[in-house]
Amino acid sequence: MSLTMEPKSDLEFILKNLLAGGVAGMCAKTTVAPLDRIKILLQAQSVHYKQHGVFGGLMAIVKQESLIALYKGNGAQMVRIFPYAATQFTSFEIYKRYLSGLSIPLVQHGDKFVAGAGAGVTAVTLTYPLDTIRARLAFQVTGEHRYTGIVHAATTIFKTEGGIRALYRGFVPTMVGMVPYAGFSFYCFESLKFFCMKYLPSTLCRKCERNTGGLVLTVPGKLVCGGLAGAVAQSVSYPLDVTRRRMQLACMHPSTAKFGSTGMVKTLTLIYQDNGIVKGLYRGMTINYIRAIPMVATSFSTYELMKQLLHLDTGMKLS
């Protein structure tokens, strides 16, 4: 007899996934907030920190500003990340449900890539202005504050830089990068989860009769699957993330102003011409691995744990 506890209605299913996804996003981003800030400063070639590496940059922030400055912009991040992660995870579950009911021939778990890409695009479209604001706040250094907070940053950008279009600057490379990033994140996690449940059921899984397949990933299993998924996804999409940041932060300093009036392709070209691949398109990649692996691992692990607490099915068919 199946003991799987399905939500009584679609509304309950959506609300529970929204809560699980939002909590997962907040936990993940809080874990890596200091690394997020130094990544933004390195990507955008801040004149104050571009000569530093990852750990040197973190120490310089503490020395030149303060310990709490490591979390600068995190307020806007929290305002953004709950709806972003809630929308992304819930959209993934909805799209996955829909695609599983279609008779479209896809490679094994290919529907997870399509559902993940669609979920990422949906979430970014709805929350992108908050990401622009968060990046601007994180880019500020002590003594050179242009914005006093989230609302002031939003109104200033809107009034002085071209309205809603300014808040969506860098949106195109974000969309282009989000498809492989979110697609590979969910595809890799679901594929690794399937592999663990099918081939390592006694190592990284434990019994859970109410789940489909009768198994659930252990916490180490969740972390391993999430961390590997994050590493793959970031490797594929990172140059477009750098492009997005340069476009978002173009108006913050005269040396980067040239990126404010160019499109995605032109910005990519300028970054490559000025700094090459390693020091340009993949600048800050070391910190991104240090940041992305624990962040994605925490995100997927927390989401799965929250689903278990809310009596949602976290198993999968193994046949």
Side-chain angles (χ1 to χ4, degrees):
M1 181 179 69
S2 175
L3 298 177
T4 300
M5 297 183 68
E6 290 292 337
K8 295 178 181 178
S9 67
D10 288 341
L11 178 60
E12 182 184 349
F13 173 79
I14 290 171
L15 290 175
K16 284 185 174 182
N17 275 287
L18 285 171
L19 176 60
V23 171
M26 292 182 74
C27 289
K29 282 297 185 179
T30 300
T31 301
V32 298
L35 294 172
D36 254 343
R37 185 171 184 223
I38 192 63
K39 186 194 84 163
I40 290 172
L41 292 169
L42 290 175
Q43 281 183 333
Q45 301 253 325
S46 167
V47 293
H48 298 278
Y49 297 106
K50 66 180 181 180
Q51 73 273 21
H52 294 289
V54 176
F55 298 106
L58 289 170
M59 294 301 295
I61 290 173
V62 174
K63 184 177 180 180
Q64 296 175 24
E65 299 182 59
S66 67
L67 183 63
I68 199 70
L70 292 171
Y71 288 86
K72 187 174 288 183
N74 201 49
Q77 180 73 295
M78 290 299 101
V79 171
R80 167 187 171 267
I81 198 60
F82 189 94
Y84 172 84
T87 301
Q88 184 179 42
F89 279 109
T90 305
S91 297
F92 172 73
E93 298 292 347
I94 292 171
Y95 296 153
K96 183 174 70 171
R97 261 189 176 189
Y98 175 75
L99 289 169
S100 66
L102 299 178
S103 56
I104 300 176
L106 292 170
V107 296
Q108 189 178 35
H109 304 302
D111 58 324
K112 312 301 191 304
F113 179 91
V114 176
V121 168
T122 301
V124 167
T125 301
L126 295 176
T127 63
Y128 191 80
L130 287 169
D131 185 57
T132 298
I133 293 164
R134 194 267 304 190
R136 293 289 184 94
L137 292 173
F139 191 71
Q140 296 183 130
V141 297
T142 300
E144 297 182 9
H145 282 197
R146 181 180 297 186
Y147 311 112
T148 58
I150 298 170
V151 175
H152 181 248
T155 54
T156 302
I157 295 168
F158 185 86
K159 290 177 180 178
T160 64
E161 296 181 29
I164 195 69
R165 184 175 180 179
L167 291 169
Y168 275 88
R169 184 175 289 134
F171 182 69
V172 173
T174 302
M175 284 294 97
V176 175
M178 182 52 64
V179 171
Y181 174 72
F184 276 112
S185 289
F186 282 100
Y187 172 79
C188 291
F189 181 79
E190 294 285 318
S191 297
L192 289 166
K193 181 177 172 181
F194 176 84
F195 179 86
C196 290
M197 288 184 170
K198 190 173 180 67
Y199 300 107
L200 301 170
S202 60
T203 306
L204 294 174
C205 304
R206 61 178 175 81
K207 290 187 179 296
C208 181
E209 294 301 327
R210 73 167 183 251
N211 265 1
T212 300
L215 293 171
V216 65
L217 285 176
T218 60
V219 173
K222 293 179 176 70
L223 291 170
V224 168
C225 292
L228 289 174
V232 172
Q234 287 287 336
S235 298
V236 173
S237 63
Y238 191 75
L240 290 163
D241 189 41
V242 173
T243 302
R244 168 176 63 114
R245 288 294 180 222
R246 290 293 183 90
M247 294 175 75
Q248 283 181 329
L249 302 172
C251 299
M252 295 293 286
H253 195 273
S255 65
T256 59
K258 62 184 177 182
F259 299 113
S261 58
T262 60
M264 179 189 74
V265 176
K266 183 63 175 177
T267 300
L268 270 169
T269 304
L270 285 171
I271 295 171
Y272 174 74
Q273 290 175 344
D274 289 351
N275 303 106
I277 295 175
V278 176
K279 294 185 177 180
L281 295 175
Y282 278 89
R283 182 174 180 82
M285 189 61 182
T286 300
I287 189 172
N288 208 50
Y289 277 131
I290 297 171
R291 160 193 166 276
I293 292 173
M295 183 185 73
V296 180
T298 301
S299 181
F300 275 114
S301 299
T302 306
Y303 179 63
E304 293 267 309
L305 286 169
M306 284 296 297
K307 286 178 69 177
Q308 289 170 230
L309 289 173
L310 295 168
H311 300 295
L312 293 170
D313 190 358
T314 60
M316 53 179 20
K317 295 179 180 177
L318 303 177
S319 57

